[in-house]
Amino acid sequence: MGREAQQLPLALYLHFPWCVRKCPYCDFNSHPLRGEVPEAEYVEALLRDLDFELQNDSRFPIPDSRPLVSIFMGGGTPSLFSDRAIGRLLEAVSRRLDFARDIEITLEANPGTAEAGHFAGYRAAGVNRLSMGIQSLDDAQLRRLGRIHDRAEALRAYDLARRAGFDNVNLDLMYALPEQAVAGALADLNEVIALQPEHISWYQLTLEPNTEFGLHPPPVPDGDSAWTMQEQGQARLAAAGYVQYEVSAYARGSRQSRHNRNYWEFGDYLGIGAGAHAKRSSGMPLTVTRRARHKHPRTYLQHAGSDAVLQERRVVAAAELPFEFLMNALRLREGFSCADFAARTGRDWDERIPGLAVARARGLLDEAGGRVCASALGWRHLNGLLTLFLDAGVLSNPEMSLKGGSE
């Protein structure tokens, strides 16, 4: 691995593909559970898959010498797995990879009461950040969204997380829900702010293709109402001390999501589990490789640990790297440094980047002191800004996993 790639942070994403019930808006790789969670079998599969990822590609040394800066367990519903299984998994990962001294270890949890009892065990196992998808505190909206919890269970789960010792909690909340008025969206947000989580992921409901809501769209607020929700909500978050550091991410103090920042800053990450994606960089000139696992749990369990687990692998064309970087980094309010752009793409910032001249001419970028970010106008029209950097002759499909949403 070249010196440049060695300098990139390395994170680990672990995907848990099962959920109790598929929500009508969800387009993540999640599968309704039938019967018991095969947790012992799946943990073993994850570890075989991790060994394969670390040992099967001659371009990368064995083992990867970079310490993990973060681990994110997403899904699906990772909290369907017992604290004992999560503890065994994390302990086994620590034998294979070094952990940074201040590693961030996040677990996504469903607020349903059945999983909340595990919180103390997760904390004892080494999980130090909890991300809970409450989505709303309005029972009528929760029913429309197909959630398995209600308002009371969400509040109880949050209380149990605090009692279990979690001092770094993210709450997911959506707005522009079916038939939601501006007042209802802001009431939801005010209640979440009052709980004082360290991090809030606040984002608009989108009707994704190939989901129930995509096939049978519910009546959602019009664009003007959604914009009003966004503007007034952002003002309330700012007044409460939450800094918007990414499109839908708000944090107090230093509690930005380290794992998701690594995605947005175009760092490297191992992706283990059904449907997980990995990105790794090597050499000089820079080579970026992406790999994706089979999505279906049964297929994944059958092939984990062998080359057959991969559904896709590709070396990203050098011409695609600037767009892939910008598609992520411009989501950050602070943008990026030109030095990081060069280290992660192998290109200088002014080196004939497609779309750059047009973006500058339209006043969509702020550039000063070796840093680049979207201007106020560019931030308001971020999708339009990003498309300027997609060269018509280049077919790109950057992975925006983030449970992610990231969260």
Side-chain angles (χ1 to χ4, degrees), residues 64-208:
D64 195 308
S65 59
R66 292 172 289 177
L68 292 177
V69 298
S70 65
I71 298 174
F72 194 103
M73 291 172 274
T77 307
S79 57
L80 288 172
F81 281 65
S82 69
D83 50 297
R84 180 178 178 182
I86 297 299
R88 179 177 178 277
L89 175 61
L90 291 176
E91 193 277 331
V93 171
S94 73
R95 294 199 305 267
R96 290 161 168 81
L97 288 160
D98 291 334
F99 287 8
R101 181 179 53 80
D102 56 349
I103 187 172
E104 174 193 272
I105 302 178
T106 302
L107 182 131
E108 287 188 328
N110 190 299
T113 55
E115 294 95 16
H118 294 310
F119 286 173
Y122 295 143
R123 187 69 189 90
V127 178
N128 55 25
R129 184 175 184 271
L130 206 61
S131 181
M132 290 197 287
I134 61 171
Q135 311 309 357
S136 176
L137 287 171
D138 181 317
D139 281 337
Q141 288 292 358
L142 289 170
R143 288 191 293 271
R144 291 189 185 100
L145 295 173
R147 302 297 290 171
I148 65 169
H149 69 274
D150 61 19
R151 169 193 171 85
E153 288 171 324
L155 294 174
R156 178 176 180 272
Y158 181 78
D159 181 63
L160 287 171
R162 292 305 201 193
R163 291 175 182 270
F166 282 98
D167 62 359
N168 194 2
V169 177
N170 168 70
L171 296 181
D172 277 3
L173 182 70
M174 295 194 294
Y175 66 92
L177 304 179
E179 300 180 333
Q180 187 177 48
V182 171
L186 296 177
D188 250 358
L189 182 59
N190 286 339
E191 285 200 84
V192 167
I193 289 173
L195 293 173
Q196 299 185 42
E198 286 68 33
H199 192 285
I200 297 174
S201 296
W202 188 60
Y203 52 96
Q204 183 175 344
L205 171 67
T206 54
L207 308 183
E208 301 287 356

Side-chain angles (χ1 to χ4, degrees), residues 343-400:
R344 288 158 169 75
T345 69
R347 304 272 294 275
D348 289 332
W349 173 236
D350 281 323
E351 188 184 327
R352 293 175 296 178
I353 306 301
L356 178 55
V358 176
R360 285 170 168 166
R362 294 181 182 176
L364 300 177
L365 294 174
D366 286 337
E367 302 173 79
R371 295 196 64 84
V372 181
C373 66
S375 66
L377 180 63
W379 187 254
R380 185 166 181 170
H381 300 283
L382 187 58
N383 287 339
L385 169 59
L386 294 174
T387 59
L388 293 177
F389 293 105
L390 178 56
D391 180 17
V394 175
L395 296 177
S396 286
N397 185 24
E399 185 246 323
M400 296 293 290

Side-chain angles (χ1 to χ4, degrees), residues 18-42:
W18 292 284
C19 57
V20 174
R21 182 171 64 209
K22 185 83 170 177
C23 295
Y25 59 85
C26 178
D27 68 341
F28 298 130
N29 182 37
S30 60
H31 303 262
L33 185 65
R34 295 177 176 85
E36 296 294 319
V37 178
E39 66 175 28
E41 182 183 6
Y42 194 70

